[in-house]
Amino acid sequence: MTAAVGTLERSCLWSHPGLGLHAVLDATGSVRLGAPDQDWAGLVPLVEVTATGHGRLWSGERFIETAIGDRLTYRDHETVREGGGERTTIRLADPETGLVAEVVLETAPGAGFLRSRVRLVNEGSTPLRLESVSTLTVGGITDVGGGLDGLTLHWADNDWLAECRWRKAPFRDQVVPLSRPAHGHEGRGCFERSSQGSWSTGRHLPMGALTDFTGRAWLWQIESSAGWRFETGEREGAAYVALFGPDDAHHQWQHTLAPGEDFHTVPAVLVRGETGGLDAAFGELTDYRRLIRRDHPDHRALPVIYNDYMNTLMGDPTTDKLLPLVEAAGTAGAEVFVIDAGWYDDDAQGWWDAVGAWQPARGRFPGGIQEVLDAIRGHGMVPGLWLEPEVVGVRSPLAATLPPEAFFRRGGVRVTEHGRHHLDLRHPAARAHLDAVVDRLVGEWGVGYLKLDYNINIGSGTENGPESPGAGLLGHHRAHLDWMSALLDRHPGLVLENCGSGGLRMDYAQLAVTQLQSTSDQQDLLRYPPIAAAAATAVAPEQAAVWAYPQPDHTPDRIAFTLTGALLGRIHLSGFLDGMNDEQFELVRSAIRVYKDIRPEIAGARPFWPLGLPDWEDGWIAHGLRGRDATLVAVWRRERAGAPESRTLTLTHLRGVEARPEVLQPTTAGVTVEWDAAEGKLTVGLPRADTAVLLRLAATA
């Protein structure tokens, strides 16, 4: 396709009608990606690069309008179709530096996503010191009327105990109109979000979105555990989005590209939808996440997991404490039993700053830890253990026996954070140590589940020789992903849970390899619902581990409340089940039976939010899964001033469908339900505050 616009002829190199995106080449050789009907000036160069000596053409906070990006010109492109997918590679070259950019765009016919990666190659004669590289840039985004006033911006704050808190604001509240004709330039600022240090989601999720009032949506995700940033702003009356991995300004990342060397950016994905708003876009993103992750039987089996930590043993396991919990968990229906932190603790000064060897504590297990592992297997469950592989306590013998180069260092000094050193898994000694640990736990002890935790933010990274800290962090995390993949190659049945003090490293670099994600360390069951309901924005439902910790001193409503919140994800059961009376224990068993009945529907279902994404203090919260044969909806009512006893939920996809609402869990909350098929509205009544219900709706014959 070619088009003459003014005096310049432009041609389309790549297009995806379903996404409404085209990669367009103009007569100067510049390539830009965006909507086909947008003005060329509103688009952004396909790749933006800053390097020392080659900055931006318009100085400010934006990482677009770079000198190299402006100079990059088309060399060639090719499209390969295989396995139902499509991969287009567009090659660009900078005549001044000899830098070549290979942009790889991946999608599939009929799919609603575009995944991008960039490979930079130095074909010049001198080294080039990179300071930022875009993975994906898209321009020409407007509301349905062709302006920006109808756009809404969405982003997610994230914190320990307060994960997945989505925010929204009119685009014009964040990117104000500046009267460009009066100044002859765009503004210098933008709306941006970025990570800080080694907790990739310690401040925000690596995601954002733009929507308009007609239901159109642009949703993006950056797949990095080692630094990421996105920005959106205005360019010639349209919005643009630029997605990055680590950079110099935010992550102390620089990468010297010598002649002949190459560098690969982290991947990123854009989801585009014409209708359905954020719910439809998150559905497309969920499908995409299932497509890119490593295949594993856990994604289909969804076993029930009991973990002894949360509100229970809290890092103090012993044989005497564990054996009654093992029996109770097995009787309740758990299929995996995880011994969490503390199983290695045999130190009078505590275990936090002494970890690293990962040997069982003799004082905790007089008959050996195998006695407990055998008991777990004897009750029909797979044994699991907690592990924090990337750290070594400052008092651990390994801190002295492993070579200095095996640890994170800055300025030649070993980094210490909260009583721990940090391993650099690029070093063979660090990797050999962890391989030996896991092969012992899995190969010799028969452990089938590892909860891999990560409880420190080590900062900007590590300097290995002349490298920058951010480059060291990226190198380590790529080695970390490779190490986990190799574990699963050697032990195909092993299940890996990704945990970073709950959800502080909740990104799809990790989740494309690991099978589960801990969603939070939140111990207050009344604070968990907004996290549990929004978790599917960050994680595919069958990977989202949600705590359910019923206790003997809980009322039936409290027991049902904490159990119901986990039923649309992965149950992380905990609590002193062994101390419950028969009535309480049956409530637990009943919820587990419900979960086992519905879990075949979870693995292929798309999430939606009939009351919108939850706010932290909402009294009513709802989260649903739209499956092939039925719709599942979890509804919470929390004690809030003015909160009514009933709420009406809109289930747009069931409008006009005669359906029968069925109360799955619990059956004792006094819930009332009423379905209006013509309007697609479900009215749910919960007469008591701090109660919850799980409903199933299926079309009647």
Side-chain angles (χ1 to χ4, degrees), residues 73 106 236 432 624:
T73 55
E106 296 176 288
E236 296 286 352

Side-chain angles (χ1 to χ4, degrees), residues 21-369:
L21 293 176
H22 293 234
V24 183
L25 168 69
D26 79 350
T28 70
S30 179
V31 179
R32 303 186 181 191
L33 181 66
D37 55 351
Q38 289 299 316
D39 182 69
W40 176 262
L43 304 182
V44 185
L46 187 60
V47 180
E48 296 279 23
V49 180
T50 61
T52 306
H54 305 268
R56 289 163 288 188
L57 301 176
W58 180 240
S59 188
E61 301 302 314
R62 303 179 178 203
F63 282 25
I64 63 167
E65 299 175 306
T66 63
I68 291 177
D70 187 64
R71 295 195 304 257
L72 285 170
T73 55
Y74 174 76
R75 175 180 282 185
D76 59 42
H77 77 285
E78 63 183 3
T79 297
V80 176
R81 295 177 178 86
E82 59 184 9
E86 177 182 294
R87 183 176 69 253
T88 297
T89 303
I90 301 174
R91 297 179 183 85
L92 311 170
D94 173 19
E96 182 172 324
T97 62
L99 184 69
V100 172
E102 296 182 350
V103 185
V104 180
L105 304 176
E106 296 176 288
T107 186
F113 72 85
L114 175 66
R115 191 188 204 212
S116 179
R117 295 171 287 127
V118 176
R119 175 177 177 255
L120 296 182
V121 183
N122 187 351
E123 294 187 357
S125 58
T126 59
L128 192 64
R129 188 170 180 261
L130 305 172
E131 296 179 355
S132 71
V133 186
S134 67
T135 289
L136 179 62
T137 60
V138 177
I141 299 173
T142 64
D143 60 30
V144 71
L148 296 175
D149 292 345
L151 288 180
T152 299
L153 176 63
H154 307 259
W155 70 97
D157 294 337
N158 211 63
D159 197 359
W160 185 55
L161 312 179
E163 290 84 352
C164 302
R165 290 174 292 121
W166 281 85
R167 303 282 187 253
K168 66 179 180 179
F171 183 80
R172 277 306 192 197
D173 281 3
Q174 303 294 322
V175 182
V176 299
L178 297 175
S179 186
R180 185 186 187 284
H183 305 93
H185 287 289
E186 299 288 0
R188 299 184 187 273
C190 59
F191 178 89
E192 66 172 359
R193 288 293 183 265
S194 62
S195 64
Q196 183 181 52
S198 58
W199 273 333
S200 59
T201 57
R203 300 197 301 173
H204 310 285
L205 295 182
M207 304 174 65
L210 291 170
T211 60
D212 73 8
F213 64 90
T214 69
R216 298 194 305 166
W218 298 259
L219 172 65
W220 56 86
Q221 167 183 285
I222 305 170
E223 296 158 18
S224 174
S225 295
W228 59 266
R229 175 182 174 273
F230 71 76
E231 68 176 72
T232 181
E234 181 177 2
R235 184 180 172 95
E236 296 286 352
Y240 73 89
V241 173
L243 312 180
F244 300 85
D247 64 64
D248 182 28
H250 299 84
H251 310 98
Q252 297 184 40
W253 177 89
Q254 309 97 33
H255 183 91
T256 299
L257 202 60
E261 292 184 345
D262 66 354
F263 171 75
H264 295 257
T265 68
V266 302
V269 64
L270 177 73
V271 168
R272 173 83 159 81
E274 279 294 323
T275 60
L278 277 183
D279 280 4
F282 278 120
E284 289 282 355
L285 186 59
T286 300
D287 291 346
Y288 162 81
R289 289 165 170 168
R290 289 165 174 157
L291 183 66
I292 65 164
R293 70 192 179 193
R294 180 188 181 109
D295 184 49
H296 196 285
D298 179 80
H299 296 146
R300 294 174 289 278
L302 278 59
V304 175
I305 300 152
Y306 182 94
N307 182 300
D308 69 28
Y309 186 84
M310 191 61 71
N311 293 347
T312 310
L313 299 187
M314 300 296 289
D316 187 26
T318 66
T319 298
D320 288 343
K321 293 178 181 178
L322 284 167
L323 290 181
L325 292 175
V326 168
E327 181 178 3
T331 305
E335 295 153 306
V336 176
F337 189 102
V338 179
I339 305 172
D340 207 280
W343 59 269
Y344 38 78
D345 177 21
D346 219 357
D347 193 303
Q349 298 180 57
W351 57 265
W352 181 263
D353 58 358
V355 296
W358 309 113
Q359 295 286 350
R362 294 189 185 92
R364 293 184 174 276
F365 308 103
I369 197 171

